[in-house]
Structure formats: structure tokens, C-alpha cells
Amino acid sequence: MTHMDKAAIEAVLPHRDPMLLVDEVLELVPGERVVALKTVTADDCAGHFPGNPIMPGVKMVEALAQCGAVAVLSQPENRGRLALFAGIDDVRFKRIVEPGDELTLTCEVEAVRGPVGKGKVQARVGDELAVRGTLTFAAAQ
């Protein structure tokens, strides 16, 4: 298991602020599992909604996808590649996420066939489930 700070994450993912949505990786088993953190800021919720800021669901799904991308792109054979969405299935939002909340992002890679893989993902705020689903990705050059 490997810990990664933001600089180490940027060495694996091509994303940069404001679209880099993973702050820290707590656990990493390349190709298998990632647990990461994202502290939600007012900027993450800008315009959604004025006076009642809520992190958009699409940003939570993107944060989970980036978490999964760390699992895939940290494998030596995938270094320098892009992990692209190939599918988003069975996503359910269970809790409002606001500035100041800390999301614990988890991705369990279930299957990989060639450049295509699938992972179960979830984000929690403390013990409360915020979002869960299944993401399919393709590693591209």
C-alpha cells in the first residue's frame, strides 16, 4: 500500500486544478484498489447553488473516476496513458455534499480485459454514503 500526496498524484494523472479532484491517496494497490481523500471547497460548488452551495454530482463521479484512474495508471504498463470513461452505471446519490466535507473515495477494480476495466466506486462523508456506482474505463495512448 502506497501513500501519495498531490505532487505524486499529478505524476500519474494528467488532471490539473481546477479539475484535479483527488487531494491525497491513503491506500494504493495498483490495478486493484485505491482509497483517496477530497476536501470539498467552495470553488468545487461555485454556482451550484448561490446561497446553498452543493457539490455537483458530476464532480463527485469525476473524483471517483480519478481515484480509479490512479489504480490503473499507477501500473507500469499504463504509465503515461489516459484513463477515459467508457461507462457510468448504477450511480446513486445518497447525501448532499457541501464545502468543508471530506469525501473518502474508494475504487475496487473488479475486472480488466486489455485496455478496458470496470470498478465499483463509492464516496463517503464520515460513515455516511454520499454516492456509489460502477465505472467502466478505457486506458488510451
Side-chain angles (χ1 to χ4, degrees):
M1 289 189 265
T2 304
H3 175 271
M4 298 171 76
D5 62 11
K6 194 164 186 176
I9 294 166
E10 288 180 342
V12 174
L13 294 182
H15 303 77
R16 295 296 179 265
D17 288 330
M19 280 307 296
L20 180 58
L21 300 174
V22 176
D23 297 333
E24 178 182 6
V25 172
L26 303 177
E27 299 175 27
L28 168 62
V29 180
E32 294 180 25
R33 175 180 163 80
V34 173
V35 178
L37 295 177
K38 165 65 181 156
T39 300
V40 178
T41 67
D43 287 342
D44 294 316
C45 307
H48 192 261
F49 302 94
N52 186 26
I54 296 170
M55 187 175 192
V58 295
K59 281 193 171 182
M60 287 187 274
V61 173
E62 175 64 22
L64 288 163
Q66 290 178 21
C67 180
V70 169
V72 174
L73 299 178
S74 62
Q75 294 178 280
E77 64 269 25
N78 290 325
R79 287 279 176 169
R81 293 181 140 195
L82 293 176
L84 303 172
F85 270 129
I88 303 171
D89 298 299
D90 302 319
V91 171
R92 297 292 181 265
F93 299 96
K94 301 293 189 176
R95 180 192 193 281
I96 289 174
V97 176
E98 303 168 303
D101 285 344
E102 184 175 66
L103 286 172
T104 300
L105 310 163
T106 305
C107 177
E108 302 276 351
V109 178
E110 291 188 314
V112 178
R113 286 190 181 186
V116 179
K118 189 174 277 200
K120 291 278 190 196
V121 295
Q122 69 173 358
R124 293 184 169 276
V125 176
D127 292 334
E128 295 181 58
L129 183 64
V131 60
R132 63 159 176 81
T134 301
L135 304 180
T136 304
F137 58 85
Q141 291 291 359

